[in-house]
Amino acid sequence: MTSSDEASAGASTPRRQARGQRRIEEILGAAAQVFVRDGYDAATTNAVAREAGISPGSLYQYFRNKDEIAHGLAERYAAGLAELQAAAFDGVDPTVLTLEDLVRRVLDPVVAFNVAHPAFKTLFARTDPPPGLAEATAPLDASIHERAARLVAARAPRLAPDDARRVSVVATQLVRATMPLVVAASGDERERMAAEARAALVAYLRTATG
């Protein structure tokens, strides 16, 4: 290979990588629509490929099965939620906020994220996910619990670590349980439902953290 051929090959590599990343994003976007429309259990890789406008063979170049696609979506959602929470607390010390303000800063971005990404609820809100889905969403679940545990520990430093972890788990489950009700509402009713969810979380945290 001549030096010019090597330069051409080197220049094409980033383009191939960019095309591959775009294809991955297209597949994940299509999968999100299929998971919402058909439900995770009934969704198939063939349906995702059709939604993405590609052949099943092309899809398998990037994802071996439906669970791998769910894992890719979970990673995308984990990054998106982390960005929202970072923005909500940018330059803010959570320990000096009122509990009501703290809960609002946590929940409002989560509500907005759920509304913008309906597949998030399909993947994460289930209490009985099949093993493949549970494994795929485990990193997302872990990141959410980790952020909740850090907030609880910061707000209630007197709690033993095991107690703080337990409180964060229950608080996260309260959010998970009420979020579908909030997202399913619309207009003013959604804000009223969100207010009820915030009130329930504030009441629990006030009792649990002293």
Side-chain angles (χ1 to χ4, degrees):
M1 180 181 292
T2 67
S3 59
S4 61
D5 290 337
E6 291 174 349
S8 176
S12 66
T13 298
R15 288 197 292 270
R16 286 197 298 269
Q17 292 174 342
R19 285 197 297 270
Q21 189 58 44
R22 284 197 300 271
R23 180 52 56 86
I24 289 172
E25 293 302 316
E26 290 168 357
I27 292 171
L28 293 178
Q33 296 183 53
V34 172
F35 291 162
V36 172
R37 184 188 69 215
D38 300 342
Y40 185 80
D41 293 338
T44 64
T45 52
N46 284 348
V48 173
R50 283 195 301 272
E51 188 70 32
I54 61 176
S55 68
S58 294
L59 183 147
Y60 291 135
Q61 293 179 26
Y62 302 96
F63 299 99
R64 291 177 299 178
N65 51 50
K66 182 173 65 174
D67 292 340
E68 281 197 357
I69 297 174
H71 181 81
L73 272 175
E75 287 186 332
R76 175 200 271 184
Y77 292 154
L81 281 171
E83 290 178 2
L84 285 175
Q85 290 299 313
F89 289 98
D90 185 24
V92 176
D93 181 355
T95 64
V96 303
L97 298 173
T98 65
L99 190 54
E100 288 79 5
D101 193 16
L102 175 70
V103 167
R104 180 180 286 277
R105 283 174 181 267
V106 170
L107 280 191
D108 285 3
V110 173
V111 171
F113 189 87
N114 273 268
V115 171
H117 303 281
F120 178 79
K121 178 171 67 69
T122 302
L123 295 180
F124 185 68
R126 293 182 59 164
T127 58
D128 59 341
L133 178 58
E135 183 178 354
T137 58
L140 172 61
D141 193 61
S143 69
I144 290 172
H145 281 288
E146 181 183 354
R147 287 196 298 275
R150 287 201 302 266
L151 282 174
V152 170
R155 290 287 302 196
R158 293 171 298 178
L159 284 180
D162 285 348
D163 293 334
R165 180 195 57 79
R166 190 178 303 108
V167 170
S168 69
V169 168
V170 173
T172 301
Q173 288 301 107
L174 282 173
V175 174
R176 179 181 287 185
T178 56
M179 194 55 56
L181 299 173
V182 177
V183 175
S186 59
D188 292 341
E189 182 61 18
R190 176 175 292 159
E191 173 50 33
R192 285 191 284 268
M193 290 296 293
E196 294 292 338
R198 291 193 299 267
L201 189 55
V202 166
Y204 169 69
L205 289 174
R206 181 165 286 132
T207 300
T209 62

